[in-house]
Amino acid sequence: MRTSLPVVDHDLLALLRTDLIAARFTVTGVTEVLGPMASAALAREHRLPAERVTAESTDPCAALIRLFALGAPVDVSDVVAALPNTGIDGLLALRLARLEGDGLVATCDLRPYAADEHTWWVASDLSEIATGEPLAPDHVLGIGGASTTLAAWTPRRPVRRALDVGTGSGVQALHLSLDADEVVVTDLSERALAYASFNAALNKVSWDIRRGSMLEPVAGETFDLIVSNPPFVITPRDGSVPLFEYRDAGGAGDAVVEDLVVGLGAHLEPGGVAQLIGNWEIPRGTTWRDRVGAWVQRSGLDAWVVQREVQDPAQYAETWTRDGGHHAGTGQFEAMYAAWLDDFASRDVEAVGFGIITLHKPQTDREPFVDLMDVRGPVGPAMGATIAAGLDARVRLAEMTDDELLEVAWAAPTDVFVEHRLSPGSSEPVDVTVTQGGGLRLRVALDSYAAAYVGVADGSLTAGQALTAIAALLDEDESEVRERVVPILRYLVANGFLID
Ligand SMILES: C[S@@+](CC[C@H](N)C(=O)[O-])C[C@H]1O[C@@H](n2cnc3c(N)ncnc32)[C@H](O)[C@@H]1O
């Protein structure tokens, strides 16, 4: 049975905000009440440690955790103590809870969410751990791993118009509201848009909310920033696997991500950026670069794509069968697992990639750049700044001749180190690599010319001056040294190893 949706009542929401702040129902407050173990377990979708901690606590925040995150019945007196201004009547009028015996039971999930110094609350459907039941097809997801990945990788700058495609409960739009004069959000799900309206009102922001499929509701409109955590999951379409609105857009294979990538060019202002995440299929005998490269070429946009993960069809099937609430060993699990394997086999798919796609509309009439990187290891925590700086650097490089590149006095930032690997007893390095501490945490091997240049890149000489001196010192032809160093110099500038 679907629960009712929350109601927007601005006066009651003002009282609720006051209560939530006073009860310290914030990310910090919740983490303090739960402690590290129960917090981590809850993030892994295990409720028992959080249940134990909150059952023993008299903190009003603990009552709210039990009510809204664990879906447990909470005594009316405890709810009144935690939400004295809203009261039981207010909570019922907002349709956030219903009476059951002597207690109240939440009708939706409500959690604090924070980024940098901002705190919000996000309502969504009760999770599987709260209801103990499989998710409904129109389930509205709370904040998941993909949501926080996209939020962390989105470059943040003041913009006029921003768009969130497939907004769900509106988490990306909350971020957009910090930097955009106008935020448009779209979703196909009526239920999701009801939560988005509620969350906008609860957090005192205003969005232009539109129902429709993907980019259809914004036909003919352009934006400075577009974000999307689309329903990108690749699901068999033969009816053997239940479809969920939050993860299945309806097309076969990875068509939803392809269509989005190809379609975004028409909706970006010159200089505008689109940031999205998604899956792509890798058919046998091809590479992810072939597939995603073809998509971005059709988009006509600058593209920087970072592949973060690759799964084989079996791993992919296991991940998404479990996500749907099914466990290995049951007949249903095995049937769905088989359907996924058959579906991938029908397109000869050998692997599925996951990654982050950054698209940019050039402001000048030049060839778009395409940079497809495979970076599977750990990266820095706030990648938005890395994407913003990397995009600026790539745009600059795309508009810079090699001579102009060599006229700049590049310098390495403080988190960049040159490592010389030596055999014991020898002072001649076996190899030289340059590493960075933040961002993509890249590590790149340098040849002897590039190593000599990076070793002196402290901003005192232009690259051209340094390469002239290095060629003379090594008694090498200067034009050959330049030719060898320029491509790696472009890579190092694009990726923040060298700045000016
Ligand atoms: C993975 S969720 C993302 C939710 C939220 N933006 C986030 O980052 O957590 C994908 C969203 O796309 C919506 N959706 C599914 N099919 C869609 C379609 N054809 N057009 C637009 N949105 C769709 C779902 O309802 C869901 O809200």
Side-chain angles (χ1 to χ4, degrees):
M1 184 196 74
R2 305 304 288 132
T3 56
S4 59
L5 288 160
V7 165
V8 174
D9 176 322
H10 292 282
D11 295 336
L12 282 175
L13 289 177
L15 299 176
L16 180 63
R17 272 193 303 274
T18 309
D19 284 338
L20 295 175
I21 292 166
R24 299 198 67 240
F25 193 57
T26 57
V27 170
T28 317
V30 167
T31 310
E32 273 171 23
V33 167
L34 290 179
M37 183 180 80
S39 295
L42 198 55
R44 296 191 303 271
E45 303 195 353
H46 288 282
R47 56 180 287 154
L48 188 63
E51 241 176 50
R52 289 190 188 204
V53 171
T54 53
E56 285 166 10
S57 172
T58 55
D59 194 316
C61 182
L64 296 178
I65 296 169
R66 291 182 70 73
L67 185 69
F68 288 124
L70 303 181
V74 178
D75 280 350
V76 165
S77 58
D78 290 341
V79 177
V80 172
L83 304 173
N85 294 292
T86 316
I88 302 303
D89 288 346
L91 215 50
L92 296 177
L94 288 168
R95 302 229 189 112
L96 293 176
R98 63 185 156 78
L99 284 164
E100 202 177 278
D102 296 336
L104 276 172
V105 178
T107 47
C108 67
D109 186 294
L110 181 69
R111 311 259 183 131
Y113 171 62
D116 302 326
E117 69 273 27
H118 302 282
T119 279
W120 299 285
W121 296 276
V122 175
S124 61
D125 276 329
L126 282 166
S127 67
E128 202 187 328
I129 62 163
T131 62
E133 288 171 11
L135 302 180
D138 62 351
H139 179 81
V140 178
L141 210 56
I143 296 163
S147 325
T148 50
T149 298
L150 176 63
W153 283 71
T154 300
R156 309 279 172 201
R157 291 189 170 135
V159 291
R160 199 173 70 77
R161 296 195 87 207
L163 169 68
D164 178 12
V165 181
T167 195
S169 47
V171 53
Q172 309 300 333
L174 288 172
H175 285 271
L176 294 180
S177 287
L178 297 175
D179 301 310
D181 297 337
E182 188 189 341
V183 176
V184 179
V185 307
T186 71
D187 206 292
L188 191 58
S189 154
E190 220 163 320
R191 198 170 173 80
L193 292 181
Y195 277 112
S197 304
F198 179 83
N199 289 329
L202 176 58
N203 292 288
K204 288 203 288 184
V205 292
S206 136
W207 304 328
D208 180 343
I209 296 175
R210 306 192 194 168
R211 179 151 187 250
S213 188
M214 303 310 284
L215 294 163
E216 277 170 20
V218 293
E221 294 181 51
T222 53
F223 299 86
D224 305 295
L225 177 62
I226 301 177
V227 298
S228 186
N229 168 9
F232 58 76
V233 177
I234 300 165
T235 312
R237 298 280 146 198
D238 62 358
S240 50
V241 174
L243 301 180
F244 296 100
E245 278 180 348
Y246 70 84
R247 67 181 207 191
D248 301 304
D254 51 17
V256 64
V257 184
E258 174 181 4
D259 291 348
L260 192 55
V261 167
V262 173
L264 280 168
H267 296 281
L268 282 179
E269 282 287 319
V273 174
Q275 191 71 24
L276 46 145
I277 55 178
N279 273 143
W280 38 82
E281 295 186 334
I282 309 173
R284 199 172 309 282
T286 67
T287 69
W288 78 276
R289 288 189 168 86
D290 298 332
R291 190 167 193 85
V292 179
W295 296 351
V296 298
Q297 198 163 20
R298 283 165 56 209
S299 79
L301 299 168
D302 291 330
W304 177 17
V305 186
V306 182
Q307 177 168 272
R308 295 285 295 140
E309 204 181 322
V310 176
Q311 290 187 312
D312 64 32
Q315 291 169 315
Y316 195 85
E318 290 156 23
T319 302
W320 293 108
T321 310
R322 272 197 305 265
D323 175 80
H326 298 278
H327 301 283
T330 65
Q332 270 179 322
F333 182 98
E334 300 303 321
M336 289 183 210
Y337 199 158
W340 245 295
L341 295 181
D342 289 343
D343 183 51
F344 283 128
S346 72
R347 292 185 297 279
D348 209 13
V349 170
E350 200 174 31
V352 180
F354 167 84
I356 292 121
I357 301 174
T358 307
L359 302 169
H360 169 263
K361 187 161 201 157
Q363 282 171 297
T364 57
D365 187 22
R366 61 164 169 78
E367 270 299 292
F369 66 76
V370 176
D371 196 349
L372 307 173
M373 300 174 74
D374 208 349
V375 184
R376 313 268 184 98
V379 296
M383 290 302 295
T386 302
I387 293 292
L391 203 51
D392 284 349
R394 282 165 174 77
V395 169
R396 186 175 170 199
L397 287 164
E399 292 165 5
M400 214 179 207
T401 64
D402 290 348
D403 285 343
E404 287 165 345
L405 179 77
L406 292 169
E407 277 163 22
V408 180
W410 302 104
T414 50
D415 72 334
V416 167
F417 293 93
V418 178
E419 294 179 1
H420 290 236
R421 212 153 57 104
L422 301 171
S423 293
S426 164
S427 59
E428 198 55 39
V430 182
D431 53 41
V432 180
T433 50
V434 61
T435 66
Q436 59 186 180
L440 289 170
R441 296 188 179 154
L442 299 171
R443 156 182 290 272
V444 189
L446 300 176
D447 70 11
S448 54
Y449 299 147
Y453 169 61
V454 173
V456 298
D458 61 0
S460 56
L461 293 178
T462 67
Q465 288 166 336
L467 294 184
T468 303
I470 289 164
L473 205 67
L474 299 177
D475 198 19
E476 297 283 359
D477 177 50
E478 189 179 330
S479 59
E480 196 190 317
V481 173
R482 284 179 177 230
E483 211 168 294
R484 286 263 294 274
V485 173
V486 161
I488 180 81
L489 179 55
R490 282 188 177 271
Y491 176 91
L492 295 174
V493 172
N495 290 296
F497 285 94
L498 294 172
I499 54 175
D500 70 337

